[in-house]
Amino acid sequence: PPDLGSAGAVVLLAAFAPGSPVPGGKDVRRFSPGEHPIIERIVHDTAKPGRSGGDGSTGHDLWVVHSTAEYAERHLVGEQLDDAEAVRREMTDAFLENLEVETGGEEESDGGEARTGACTGAELIHTSVMAW
């Protein structure tokens, strides 16, 4: 159809260390339009049916965070991000706030970041962003 359009997207991949006690409740959290300025959807990827380690005990606990179309539009220049590092940090902070994981110290690791949840003991060991 002629009125069919597409929107850019920014996606954060986050991995917690095996055995990290990560709160969250739902396997998928969708935000209503205007409810969150950055995040449209958070998916607990490891909790999908047929995935091993959904409790985080046998492998990394993986999460995928989708931005809103408006957020992507503000940060995409063609198919590249205007400042990938700043976008990664901003999306990571928004994600952790929504999981109610307070971060303690922070150290860079592997292009992502290692953070320890002060209240939960959850250790975020990797984050990366992709855009299209």
Side-chain angles (χ1 to χ4, degrees):
D3 61 341
L4 182 63
S6 66
V10 179
V11 177
L12 172 78
L13 172 64
F16 288 93
S20 285
V22 180
K26 298 180 178 180
D27 294 337
V28 176
R29 171 143 190 231
R30 290 180 174 83
F31 294 85
S32 300
E35 183 180 355
H36 197 282
I38 297 173
I39 299 173
E40 178 180 289
R41 177 175 45 248
I42 298 174
V43 179
H44 189 188
D45 200 63
T46 307
K48 289 179 179 176
R51 306 281 170 103
S52 63
D55 60 0
S57 64
T58 60
H60 296 95
D61 193 12
L62 303 178
W63 295 75
V64 179
V65 182
H66 297 255
S67 76
T68 63
E70 296 80 15
Y71 182 82
E73 186 177 321
R74 286 193 308 270
H75 292 285
L76 282 170
V77 179
E79 291 186 5
Q80 301 296 316
L81 291 168
D82 56 356
D83 185 342
E85 180 61 20
V87 168
R88 184 185 65 79
R89 286 185 180 279
E90 190 172 38
M91 287 190 69
T92 298
D93 289 345
F95 164 62
L96 292 174
E97 282 176 20
N98 277 279
L99 282 187
E100 299 177 358
V101 174
E102 292 184 20
T103 59
E106 178 180 323
E107 67 180 74
E108 290 299 314
S109 168
D110 200 36
E113 52 194 65
R115 294 185 177 189
T116 302
C119 293
T120 66
E123 183 184 2
L124 182 61
I125 59 171
H126 175 79
T127 58
S128 58
V129 289
M130 295 149 274
W132 58 90

